Amino acid sequence: MNLISRYLFRQIALPVAAACGALCGIGVLSQSLNQLEVIVERGQSAWIMLKLTALATPQLLAVILPIGVLVGGLMALTRLQREQELTACFAGGMTRWKVVAPAMRLAVIVTLLSLFVTLYVQPAAQREARETAFAIRTDLASLLVQEGQFVQAGGGLTVYVQQIEQSGLIRNLFVHIQDGDEVTTWDATTARFTRLDGAPALLMGPGSMQQFSDRGVLNFLSFDEYAFDLTPFTGTEEVLAFRDSDLWLAELVRPSADMLERTGSREELLAEAHARIASPLYALTAMALALSAVLGGQFRRTGYGGRVAAAAAAFLIVRVAGYGVVGAGAWNIWLAPLQYLIPLGAAAIALRLVFRQSSPITRVKKAMSALPRPRRLGAAS
């Protein structure tokens, strides 16, 4: 790129980066609000919430990046046109393609970045998020302990906790176990979940134990510290299962029989695979529509509000149509080519509108050529 092309690239790249960053911040905020459940209801730490929020971000980028390109591109191009900088480029002899090229080059970079995210970063993040969420759901501490509530688990176990501190220390614990006619009750001032020889345990103390046997005998035991084995109550039938968004591209294209049984039909997996590749193409569509809104018509000193609104509406229609094709492709795999034709076709039409308009310097030359030529004065006789 020459000096002017680099200048145009910077002037467009900065608003695009700012728009993508702002939209990403809004997405992260919404995800963090959704993840508050792991703290409020599951008793997890703030670090787990931040981890789940960060792992959910790559999936949002496929939606955020094209919108950021559209918003940032419209802001930058409108400013450049309003301040006559694009007109100065045309007057300096630059062709329309040389003026458009920096913006499209930026769109290609965003497309490649988005493709890398959808093919590699998103499945890795989704797998880690799924495993973390599974560990939270099956976490014995979160299952057995809920502050101020009686929690019933398998094996006749009932647990009550008055308070749980941020450090994980449990205060005023009550455990009730009923095995047939035999009833055992434990109470402790403090307790903490731990592992002894790899097995989950509840380290209690000081406290006491009362056991009423099936023969009607009451046994009482006081202790300063006691390790309560939780192994009999850790059994769970829940199995970690990955969804379509968690699978790698190779797994979507060539799924195993077990994977097909757990995730869905082959058509659904192939539709997801095509969507992973096609969704980054909407960055090209967004930039092409931004260019057509500013350069696809005559210069206006009053602004380009109408054309900007039309470009935004066109992008919304194209993106919704793309989502519709993805859903329909799960039933008919022959619709898969439309996932590529819709964004590329919309970009081609938008660029056609851009290059249909002649540059300002060309219009000046045409206007001058249309003027009547002055007649030569004849030689004096």
Side-chain angles (χ1 to χ4, degrees), residues 52-120:
L52 291 175
T53 302
L55 291 174
T57 303
Q59 192 173 20
L60 296 174
L61 291 179
V63 181
I64 289 174
L65 290 180
I67 299 176
V69 170
L70 177 66
V71 174
L74 286 172
M75 292 172 55
L77 292 170
T78 302
R79 185 189 64 80
L80 290 172
Q81 183 76 326
R82 185 178 63 250
E83 296 179 0
Q84 304 288 332
E85 295 190 51
L86 295 180
T87 304
C89 292
F90 290 126
M94 294 182 66
T95 63
R96 186 162 287 261
W97 171 248
K98 288 184 178 180
V99 174
V100 169
M104 294 306 300
R105 191 175 289 114
L106 175 63
V108 171
I109 293 175
V110 176
T111 300
L112 295 177
L113 176 63
S114 180
L115 184 63
F116 174 78
V117 170
T118 56
L119 293 184
Y120 299 102

Side-chain angles (χ1 to χ4, degrees), residues 44-59:
Q44 300 295 319
S45 63
W47 163 248
I48 297 296
M49 188 196 75
L50 294 176
K51 178 182 178 180
L52 291 175
T53 302
L55 291 174
T57 303
Q59 192 173 20

Side-chain angles (χ1 to χ4, degrees), residues 115-351:
L115 184 63
F116 174 78
V117 170
T118 56
L119 293 184
Y120 299 102
V121 180
Q122 174 186 330
Q126 286 294 106
R127 283 172 173 265
E128 181 66 24
R130 195 76 60 193
E131 293 173 355
T132 304
F134 178 79
I136 292 174
R137 289 197 306 270
T138 57
D139 182 25
L140 191 62
S142 61
L143 290 175
L144 293 181
V145 176
Q146 294 185 20
E147 191 173 275
Q149 297 183 19
F150 287 91
V151 179
Q152 294 183 347
L157 175 68
T158 303
V159 179
Y160 175 82
V161 172
Q162 185 180 36
Q163 182 182 2
I164 306 174
E165 297 184 353
Q166 291 293 331
S167 61
L169 182 66
I170 299 171
R171 293 193 177 276
N172 297 330
L173 170 71
F174 172 83
V175 179
H176 176 82
I177 304 174
Q178 183 169 2
D179 185 10
D181 294 332
E182 185 176 280
V183 178
T184 306
T185 302
W186 304 79
D187 64 271
T189 305
T190 60
R192 186 182 297 273
F193 283 96
T194 185
R195 283 188 174 271
L196 300 176
D197 298 328
L202 193 60
L203 191 61
M204 303 185 298
S208 64
M209 181 272 290
Q210 302 87 36
Q211 184 180 59
F212 189 78
S213 67
D214 54 359
R215 292 178 298 176
V217 178
L218 178 64
N219 300 319
F220 181 84
L221 171 69
S222 62
F223 54 84
D224 293 330
E225 187 177 78
Y226 185 85
F228 182 76
D229 186 17
L230 295 172
T231 304
F233 311 102
T234 57
T236 178
E237 297 180 356
E238 189 174 359
V239 179
L240 176 62
F242 292 119
R243 299 181 182 178
D244 298 354
S245 59
D246 309 335
L247 303 179
W248 299 100
L249 184 63
E251 295 174 331
L252 293 171
V253 176
R254 294 189 298 272
S256 61
D258 180 62
M259 193 176 299
L260 284 174
E261 184 179 356
R262 288 187 289 107
T263 57
S265 65
R266 187 181 299 273
E267 288 77 11
E268 292 178 358
L269 298 181
L270 287 176
E272 174 67 20
H274 288 293
R276 295 267 188 93
I277 303 174
S279 59
L281 297 176
Y282 286 92
L284 298 175
T285 306
M287 186 59 76
L289 288 172
L291 288 168
S292 67
V294 178
L295 298 177
Q298 301 296 328
F299 174 79
R300 293 182 180 179
R301 292 183 178 276
T302 57
Y304 302 91
R307 297 212 297 255
V308 167
F315 180 79
L316 177 62
I317 294 173
V318 170
R319 197 65 188 94
V320 171
Y323 285 127
V325 171
V326 173
W331 302 97
N332 189 352
I333 194 59
W334 297 106
L335 295 176
L338 289 179
Q339 295 195 38
Y340 305 93
L341 292 177
I342 288 177
L344 293 178
I349 294 173
L351 290 177

Side-chain angles (χ1 to χ4, degrees), residues 20-32 60 64:
C20 291
L23 292 173
C24 186
I26 295 174
V28 169
L29 179 61
S30 64
Q31 286 295 321
S32 63
L60 296 174
I64 289 174

